[in-house]
Amino acid sequence: MEIQFKHATLGYGEKIVLKDVNLTLSTGKTTCVIGKNGAGKTTLFKSLLGLIPVLSGEILFDGKNVSQWSRRKFARMVSYVSQSRITAFPYSALDVVLFGRLAHLPSFASPRKKDVEIAEECLELLNISHLRDRVFTRLSGGEQQMVIIARALAQQPAFLVMDEPTANLDFSNQAKIICQVNALKNTSLGVLMATHTPSQAEMCHADVIVIHNGTVWKQGNYDEIITERLLQEIYDVEVEICPACKQLKIKNKSLILHSK
Amino acid sequence: MNIYPANSQAKIVAILTVILLVITVLSFSIGRYSIPVNSLLRFLVTGAYIDENLPVIALQIRLPRILIAILTGGALSVAGATYQGLFRNPVVSPDILGVSAGAGFGAAIAILLSAGLAMIQISAFATGIGAVVLSMFICRAMVANHDRLLLLVLAGMIVSSMFGALISLTKYVADSESRLPEITFWLMGSLARVTMQEVWFVLPVVLVSLIPLLLNSWKINILAFGEEDAKTLGLNTARLRITLICCASLLTASVVSVTGIIGWIGLIIPHFMRFIVGPDHRRLLPASFLAGASFLLLVDDFARSVSMLEIPIGIITAIIGAPILFIVLKISPSNHHKM
């Protein structure tokens, strides 16, 4: 599977956020999107998911234009781990993962035995089977994030899109999420992940997309793309990359952004 | 452990059905003219009776009233549960989009024009539905890139207060000897005047509106995660929202147009049932219907038997409802999220 953006202009109605976006994503690869707050990472994701219409240009899934796709068709192709955690009612973790089966069910059906099995496999895959019958709203932030990722996997998509999956998580939960992202890597799933921690891309052996100045600025391999100059340019701080351990340091301060 | 295991949920629904049946039978016997349960049961099963008043009282007076009480309590509770799921808010009531205020105005204006009972009901039903359509129209006319649900609530408030003012205006110009008391009485809600004719009007509307709600009940659960998540899971949220609003409004408007405004049931019953059968709408909707029907039957039995002068049912539901909500809210935080 391959997703292509061709000269796409993305934004909300009259407010253009990203111009002339050209990029290619394919299954079997993990790609990290980096860029400042408000650079347009979420806009890129929402366009890819069909939540906001493409203003001009096109998005192609395996060469087919997706602008007229139904929600159902999108949901079978791309799943989304958003940043919002709205939950009004106390559903169990298994119930939540089962919601991921919606796109595979006939119109008025509710989940059957087979769907429960798939949902349980997804929990198993992320090593959170013990959360199965717990109430979602009572789980910790890290556990909730894992359940939402399990829900996204239950959709059995070709692409998994995650908007800052480690935001608001403590140090160990961040590491757990990144480990799981690595473990998910296989030939049939493409992972697209926004991050504020550039070294997470290195940890995931991921390709990098840099969003800067209202467009997709660069796309490529981590080692080629992430340089001291580039980080300095997009984040406006002087950064030093330790050549041996690839740790990132902000110059003149002993602060370590992230260590392996 | 799962706090709401599926088989115990099914058991609760079965128990609620039995409770409703028992209350229904009792409601035939309770009243100013009481009928012993055994002679009532004999009459219902075999058709034989000794007291010659029994068939008239049971079939012509009490039967339509019991059926309307069941339909009204059930319909308002299901509508409440649906709106609570749609708005992701456990304290929303069926008149959030202005259906009650609209129906009240429709009835008031028909009473003012000395219309007959059927005309009053038709007018109430039409303006009730009209108020909801107006709310949705106002919502659509407001800025696009905004939270649709929040706009809907605001639109509902606008429409409700506008129709509230129109009701006051109607009362103000109404003849204080005859029309004004009638309008006031209608607004308080009562099942006193219902006949089988009303049942034949309400029953089909309620049945037809319940079907899409029950078919979509699992999807209502998914709305709990917000519009955007629901869309990425493959839900056509706009279509589901319209379906839910249409059905819940039809339910509410049809019963309110016959009974007048009966508050609180649509708010408390689903809220209460949610922490008995859990938040899954596949159980919550049937459980709410059964519990709401039982509750309104009991309240109506009370309304028609406690004194010579019948107490308007809307007053009793509010008097009972307000403290119940307080109790439910007081005990729910410890119970609601128990593991």
Side-chain angles (χ1 to χ4, degrees):
Chain A
M1 278 288 314
E2 208 174 63
I3 299 178
Q4 267 183 305
F5 283 68
K6 278 190 176 168
H7 306 290
T9 307
L10 312 175
Y12 306 86
E14 290 179 3
K15 196 180 151 231
I16 292 166
V17 180
L18 296 172
K19 265 187 195 160
D20 197 29
V21 175
N22 291 293
L23 55 89
T24 306
L25 304 163
S26 48
T27 46
K29 271 189 184 171
T30 303
T31 310
C32 283
V33 182
I34 66 169
K36 268 187 166 173
N37 281 334
K41 300 187 290 287
T42 305
T43 309
L44 179 75
F45 290 174
K46 284 187 177 175
S47 308
L48 172 60
L49 287 151
L51 291 173
I52 49 174
V54 177
L55 302 179
S56 71
E58 53 186 359
I59 300 176
L60 305 169
F61 279 28
D62 269 350
K64 275 169 263 165
N65 192 307
V66 298
S67 58
Q68 296 304 316
W69 278 19
S70 67
R71 291 286 2 135
R72 198 180 157 80
K73 213 167 171 190
F74 263 110
R76 288 166 165 220
M77 205 54 80
V78 214
S79 65
Y80 188 39
V81 176
S82 69
Q83 285 197 53
S84 76
R85 283 294 158 268
I86 317 165
T87 29
F89 304 116
Y91 296 106
S92 75
L94 181 70
D95 284 338
V96 173
V97 179
L98 278 172
F99 295 158
R101 299 300 302 158
L102 175 75
H104 295 273
L105 291 171
S107 273
F108 296 118
S110 45
R112 290 157 298 189
K113 215 176 157 205
K114 194 192 97 210
D115 300 297
V116 176
E117 280 164 17
I118 291 170
E120 282 169 340
E121 278 167 27
C122 294
L123 289 167
E124 183 79 28
L125 192 67
L126 298 174
N127 290 318
I128 49 167
S129 294
H130 58 285
L131 301 179
R132 183 184 186 276
D133 294 322
R134 296 267 302 277
V135 174
F136 180 80
T137 37
R138 291 271 291 193
L139 299 176
S140 73
E143 289 169 332
Q144 286 193 351
Q145 190 69 312
M146 284 294 198
V147 173
I148 295 296
I149 296 174
R151 187 186 74 185
L153 291 177
Q155 281 177 250
Q156 298 177 320
F159 289 90
L160 171 62
V161 179
M162 294 193 277
D163 199 355
E164 292 173 34
T166 57
N168 299 320
L169 296 185
D170 66 37
F171 185 66
S172 77
N173 274 316
Q174 288 194 15
K176 269 185 206 162
I177 300 277
I178 295 303
C179 281
Q180 287 302 342
V181 170
N182 270 332
L184 288 177
K185 204 174 254 189
N186 64 47
T187 48
S188 61
L189 185 70
V191 177
L192 186 65
M193 180 173 101
T195 179
H196 279 305
T197 318
S199 49
Q200 282 181 355
E202 202 271 329
M203 293 169 75
C204 297
H205 314 286
D207 282 357
V208 177
I209 290 173
V210 182
I211 293 188
H212 192 53
N213 284 340
T215 189
V216 169
W217 197 36
K218 281 187 176 157
Q219 183 184 13
N221 185 274
Y222 178 86
D223 292 320
E224 293 165 17
I225 299 274
I226 300 294
T227 60
E228 288 167 4
R229 255 191 64 203
L230 176 126
L231 292 175
Q232 199 168 315
E233 197 155 341
I234 57 177
Y235 291 115
D236 282 330
V237 284
E238 288 196 29
V239 181
E240 193 180 306
I241 300 176
C242 162
C245 64
K246 290 181 178 167
Q247 274 183 9
L248 304 179
K249 277 185 190 171
I250 291 183
K251 265 189 190 166
N252 303 327
K253 286 173 198 157
S254 56
L255 176 69
I256 296 173
L257 280 181
H258 197 98
S259 63
K260 198 171 180 180
Chain B
M1 274 314 295
N2 194 338
I3 39 171
Y4 309 112
N7 58 347
S8 81
Q9 289 173 346
K11 233 179 266 172
I12 291 169
V13 172
I15 292 170
L16 287 170
T17 313
V18 172
I19 291 176
L20 177 60
L21 284 175
V22 170
I23 295 175
T24 306
V25 170
L26 286 179
S27 301
F28 275 107
S29 92
I30 294 171
R32 302 299 300 170
Y33 188 99
S34 80
I35 305 169
V37 176
N38 55 353
S39 55
L40 177 81
L41 284 177
R42 193 187 316 129
F43 170 68
L44 289 178
V45 176
T46 66
Y49 55 91
I50 303 154
D51 183 353
E52 45 194 58
N53 288 326
L54 195 150
V56 177
I57 289 173
L59 295 183
Q60 283 179 29
I61 299 173
R62 290 192 187 154
L63 178 67
R65 194 159 175 165
I66 285 167
L67 288 175
I68 284 290
I70 289 174
L71 288 171
T72 306
L76 290 175
S77 303
V78 171
T82 304
Y83 277 132
Q84 291 176 4
L86 174 65
F87 288 100
R88 303 194 298 267
N89 187 334
V91 286
V92 158
S93 73
D95 40 18
I96 183 154
L97 297 182
V99 65
S100 292
F105 173 66
I109 206 94
I111 294 168
L112 187 72
L113 299 173
S114 313
L117 190 59
M119 237 1 256
I120 294 172
Q121 288 164 357
I122 292 166
S123 168
F125 182 74
T127 41
I129 294 294
V132 175
V133 172
L134 189 60
S135 291
M136 290 168 73
F137 185 76
I138 290 174
C139 170
R140 187 149 296 193
M142 285 195 264
V143 223
N145 253 325
H146 230 283
D147 185 354
R148 278 250 163 259
L149 290 174
L150 184 66
L151 290 182
L152 255 183
V153 174
L154 291 174
M157 281 169 67
I158 292 169
V159 170
S160 285
S161 64
M162 193 183 77
F163 278 112
L166 288 174
I167 291 174
S168 299
L169 181 66
T170 320
K171 282 164 126 178
Y172 181 70
V173 298
D175 170 15
S176 61
E177 288 298 312
S178 58
R179 299 287 162 240
L180 182 58
E182 205 180 329
I183 294 174
T184 312
F185 190 70
W186 192 94
L187 290 173
M188 287 190 282
S190 169
L191 307 183
R193 286 193 298 188
V194 296
T195 61
M196 281 314 279
Q197 202 186 327
E198 277 80 36
V199 175
W200 294 126
F201 165 63
V202 173
L203 184 68
V205 181
V206 169
L207 288 182
V208 165
S209 322
L210 280 177
I211 293 166
L213 291 180
L214 292 174
L215 285 174
N216 284 300
S217 53
W218 184 65
K219 288 185 188 164
I220 305 176
N221 297 344
I222 297 173
L223 290 175
F225 277 87
E227 175 116 14
E228 199 172 271
D229 273 28
K231 275 184 181 170
T232 61
L233 288 167
L235 192 65
N236 186 336
T237 50
R239 193 167 67 194
L240 183 61
R241 191 167 55 217
I242 292 285
T243 310
L244 298 184
I245 290 175
C246 283
C247 294
S249 304
L250 278 173
L251 283 176
T252 314
S254 69
V255 298
V256 165
S257 66
V258 166
T259 64
I261 292 169
I262 299 177
W264 286 96
I265 283 201
L267 180 104
I268 302 168
I269 296 291
H271 189 76
F272 187 60
M273 292 324 290
R274 192 172 290 111
F275 74 102
I276 289 185
V277 298
D280 187 340
H281 289 82
R282 286 175 293 173
R283 304 266 183 228
L284 184 61
L285 296 186
S288 295
F289 188 94
L290 295 167
S294 303
F295 180 72
L296 197 65
L297 257 184
L298 276 180
V299 172
D300 187 49
D301 289 345
F302 183 78
R304 64 188 165 87
S305 58
V306 80
S307 72
M308 285 296 286
L309 185 72
E310 189 171 318
I311 308 165
I313 198 166
I315 295 178
I316 305 178
T317 54
I319 289 176
I320 301 177
I324 286 186
L325 183 63
F326 169 72
I327 294 165
V328 167
L329 290 178
K330 189 158 164 47
I331 56 177
S332 62
S334 57
N335 233 335
H336 218 205
H337 304 300
K338 201 172 66 183
M339 269 175 281

